[in-house]
Amino acid sequence: MKRAGVCALVLSTAVLGGCGIPRSEAESRTPVPAPVPVEITSVELTGPAATPRPVATETAPPAADISTRVPMPAVVCMNLQAAQDLIQTAGVFYSRSEDATGQGRKQVVDRNWVVVAQVPAAGALIGEGDAVLSVVKVGEPTDCY
């Protein structure tokens, strides 16, 4: 039975492989154009000892203000996902979490973890990536229960 299956597979592959549309020699050798470099800014000098001054040649969208700092919310004893959501609601979209047991476990499903400590303390001003949440898995010993 196995031999018949293998033969059928080989036969069907051979039949289907021959059904393709033949390509012409020129079509198979069409070169792909190389990317074209684009210059965004230039430097303009206006005298022998002039300082270079950037001249915009294209309008770029405004960059996000990464200097915005907001008060850190109190998130100890919260579910990790809820804590991250609260920090994002405050205006910071990137926080970090780490296994409080020191085992280095990754927080793959944030809802399965509880925040047992936070750095910095609630009320301190934070920016992107400043919030570090120490967590344990739901059901592990903690002072939160």
Side-chain angles (χ1 to χ4, degrees):
M1 184 68 180
K2 286 184 180 181
R3 185 174 183 174
V6 171
C7 290
L9 178 62
V10 170
L11 181 59
S12 64
T13 303
V15 169
L16 292 176
C19 294
I21 299 171
R23 291 183 142 181
S24 70
E25 188 71 24
E27 185 180 351
S28 66
R29 293 186 185 179
T30 304
V32 176
V36 177
V38 177
E39 185 176 325
I40 301 296
T41 60
S42 64
V43 176
E44 184 178 295
L45 298 177
T46 58
T51 307
R53 180 176 55 101
V55 177
T57 57
E58 186 175 305
T59 304
D65 184 8
I66 60 172
S67 64
T68 302
R69 300 181 72 72
V70 299
M72 173 73 171
V75 295
V76 173
C77 294
M78 290 181 72
N79 169 281
L80 177 58
Q81 183 64 61
Q84 291 170 333
D85 292 346
L86 185 59
I87 293 168
Q88 288 180 356
T89 300
V92 171
F93 296 94
Y94 175 65
S95 60
R96 298 175 284 161
S97 61
E98 57 188 25
D99 184 357
T101 67
Q103 298 176 47
R105 299 175 295 179
K106 302 295 180 200
Q107 294 76 54
V108 177
V109 179
D110 295 336
R111 295 189 194 299
N112 292 344
W113 297 82
V114 176
V115 179
V116 295
Q118 67 181 62
V119 173
L125 294 179
I126 59 169
E128 296 297 327
D130 292 342
V132 180
L133 310 176
S134 296
V135 296
V136 295
K137 289 202 83 153
V138 170
E140 292 181 339
T142 176
D143 292 337
C144 294
Y145 302 121

